Amino acid sequence: MRGMDLRGELDAFLAGCESELIGFRRDLHMHPELGFAEYRTTQRIADKLTAAGLLPSVLPRGTGLICDVGSGDGPTVALRADIDALPVPDEKDVPYSSTVPGVCHACGHDVHTTVLLGTSLFLARQAEAGLLPGRVRLIFQPAEELPGGALEVMAAGGLSGVDRIFGLHCDPRVDVGKVGLKIGPITSACDRVTVRVSGPGGHTARPHLTADLVFALAKILTELPAALSRRVDPRSSLSLVWGRVEAGSAANAIPDDGVAEGTVRCLDEEAWHAAPDMIKALLESVAAAYGIEAQMDYVRGVPPVVNEEVSVQMLIEAAEGVLGEGASVPTQQSLGGEDFGWYLESVPGAFARLGTRTPGEAHAGDIHQGTFDVDETCIGTGVRFLAATALTALWEGQRPGTGEQVVMLNLDN
Ligand SMILES: [Zn+2]
Ligand SMILES: [Zn+2]
């Protein structure tokens, strides 16, 4: 069963359950849960999988789950969805707005979860009919945003026996019905840096008797990113951007300490390795010039997601097969971080962007904003795409080196 057959099967399957899946997504959207607190979400997924005759296994910390579909001697392909929400207030006026103050699915993980659930139900049917040439490992991963959930899945043996892994993420810059694909790095490294400064405080009338800490901190905030951009190859796109700064409590008092926090993002592995030492040296030189003490905490975040070529070709074949010709479009590496990168350090695989924008829509809200929403037809697209991807990878995996000719597109950009 390939090509048109699979397309027809998926159409028939979705005709029967697409509105139920949209309802499932809206329910998750109304009840978002933060990383490692996704108890209700996990229960909802487990209930649906169990009802389909599958045997989900909840991860040791109690949120997120893993579930195998099919068995036999064939290859094992993993499909991963992240299930956590963000500490961002929902600003949308829709019937399914978040009911949890300050928390919402602003990154579309409710969509990823629903797409993988729909895919799971379809694959369970295929397995029952004896049409699954191998095993599919469903990974409903907690806590992508913290990050840390991917490491939790791996520590629980989630990748053991897995030959290839795939995942996808909502992309409001791509039209619904299409998927954005790229060979090589598709997301970036993202680290966290905290700078603490201290020095003698005092009256703002006499800054010369103090370290004039707020002024010095402001210098650090502007000098570090500026100097960094002159120390590294601009093609590495190493960027330091501050997200929080705090110092002082009164207009006429110079404080004796302050703090700034930000993220360091980088497209290039070499620059990523050099970043902590370089930032520390720059920090020390600016701090010394203003006579303040400065300390830096540098926390390594996620590695870049680096898509394997053969896996991307499978994604292309799946997209062109069930979504139609031209459904896969080139996409660019983003400066966003994604903990899927950790999986790809262990097994080959690829990560795709799922279009969520209604064609012609002037300005779709970006992810991580309280206004972010999707064109819900992307759920059906996602199920078609992910199910076809799993089957394609199993078919190709069964015949190493003799797989059918894959559709090659020029994805250079
Ligand atoms: Zn996110
Ligand atoms: Zn996300």
Side-chain angles (χ1 to χ4, degrees):
M1 182 194 62
R2 306 190 73 160
M4 292 306 286
D5 284 351
L6 177 58
R7 200 169 175 168
E9 287 254 353
L10 281 162
D11 285 346
F13 169 76
L14 282 160
C17 72
E18 193 165 3
S19 60
E20 198 184 317
L21 287 173
I22 290 172
F24 185 85
R25 179 256 165 170
R26 292 184 175 197
D27 173 75
L28 294 188
H29 202 86
M30 289 174 75
H31 303 96
E33 295 172 304
L34 294 174
F36 290 129
E38 312 96 329
Y39 296 101
R40 181 185 184 279
T41 307
T42 301
Q43 189 62 50
R44 296 274 295 137
I45 302 163
D47 288 347
K48 292 281 184 194
L49 295 178
T50 307
L54 300 173
L55 296 168
S57 162
V58 175
L59 292 169
R61 277 175 77 156
T63 72
L65 62 84
I66 292 172
C67 182
D68 281 0
V69 186
S71 54
D73 300 329
T76 298
V77 170
L79 303 176
R80 173 273 211 172
D82 40 13
I83 67 173
D84 57 322
L86 278 167
V88 170
D90 197 337
E91 293 169 26
K92 303 186 300 297
D93 183 17
V94 291
Y96 50 91
S97 293
S98 169
T99 59
V100 184
V103 181
C104 84
H105 270 293
C107 204
H109 297 188
D110 53 336
V111 172
H112 311 162
T113 303
T114 306
V115 164
L116 183 56
L117 175 69
T119 304
S120 310
L121 302 179
F122 178 77
L123 293 173
R125 278 196 193 185
Q126 298 293 302
E128 239 170 66
L131 294 170
L132 202 63
R135 187 197 316 263
V136 177
R137 167 92 30 94
L138 310 166
I139 299 173
F140 289 91
Q141 181 209 302
E144 190 282 323
E145 298 283 359
L146 286 184
L151 297 175
E152 179 82 1
V153 167
M154 290 165 77
L159 285 192
S160 67
V162 169
D163 297 297
R164 217 173 269 283
I165 185 166
F166 296 95
L168 51 72
H169 202 291
C170 290
D171 188 341
R173 290 159 303 173
V174 176
D175 281 351
V176 70
K178 295 191 186 300
V179 291
L181 301 176
K182 180 180 185 297
I183 294 165
I186 186 167
T187 66
S188 303
C190 178
D191 302 338
R192 196 170 289 238
V193 63
T194 304
V195 168
R196 288 176 212 287
V197 292
S198 59
H203 201 293
T204 51
R206 292 175 285 282
H208 56 292
L209 301 179
T210 75
D212 203 354
L213 189 118
V214 173
F215 185 83
L217 181 55
K219 280 290 183 187
I220 288 170
L221 295 179
T222 53
E223 278 305 310
L224 254 58
L228 257 187
S229 70
R230 291 294 171 272
R231 290 282 184 93
V232 294
D233 186 332
R235 288 170 299 181
S236 69
S237 289
L238 180 69
S239 73
L240 164 60
V241 178
W242 304 107
R244 187 177 89 89
V245 56
E246 203 176 298
S249 56
N252 59 358
I254 294 170
D256 50 22
D257 59 17
V259 65
E261 291 182 305
T263 56
V264 175
R265 294 170 192 272
C266 188
L267 301 181
D268 174 74
E269 205 146 11
E270 201 179 317
W272 184 56
H273 284 294
D277 286 347
M278 208 155 31
I279 293 171
K280 188 159 189 286
L282 290 170
L283 172 64
E284 281 165 359
S285 75
V286 178
Y290 292 92
I292 61 166
E293 295 284 321
Q295 275 188 329
M296 182 184 84
D297 274 335
Y298 196 98
V299 180
R300 281 286 191 207
V302 295
V305 170
V306 183
N307 282 342
E308 186 233 10
E309 188 171 355
V310 175
S311 300
V312 174
Q313 286 166 4
M314 289 171 175
L315 290 174
I316 295 169
E317 187 180 358
E320 301 284 319
V322 296
L323 301 181
E325 217 175 296
S328 61
V329 296
T331 189
Q332 292 187 335
Q333 183 177 13
S334 87
L335 275 171
E338 162 61 61
D339 79 357
F340 193 80
W342 272 316
Y343 297 118
L344 296 188
E345 295 206 325
S346 298
V347 293
F351 196 67
R353 299 217 167 99
L354 176 69
T356 63
R357 176 179 62 191
T358 304
E361 195 179 353
H363 37 74
D366 202 0
I367 52 172
H368 284 216
Q369 293 181 344
T371 50
F372 174 71
D373 204 354
V374 301
D375 182 322
E376 286 173 318
T377 54
C378 74
I379 291 172
T381 305
V383 171
R384 285 178 173 87
F385 176 53
L386 215 50
T389 295
L391 288 167
T392 301
L394 290 179
W395 289 324
E396 302 286 338
Q398 280 213 317
R399 294 179 292 278
T402 61
E404 288 183 16
Q405 192 66 38
V406 294
V407 183
M408 287 297 295
L409 286 190
N410 181 10
L411 288 177
D412 292 341
N413 59 66

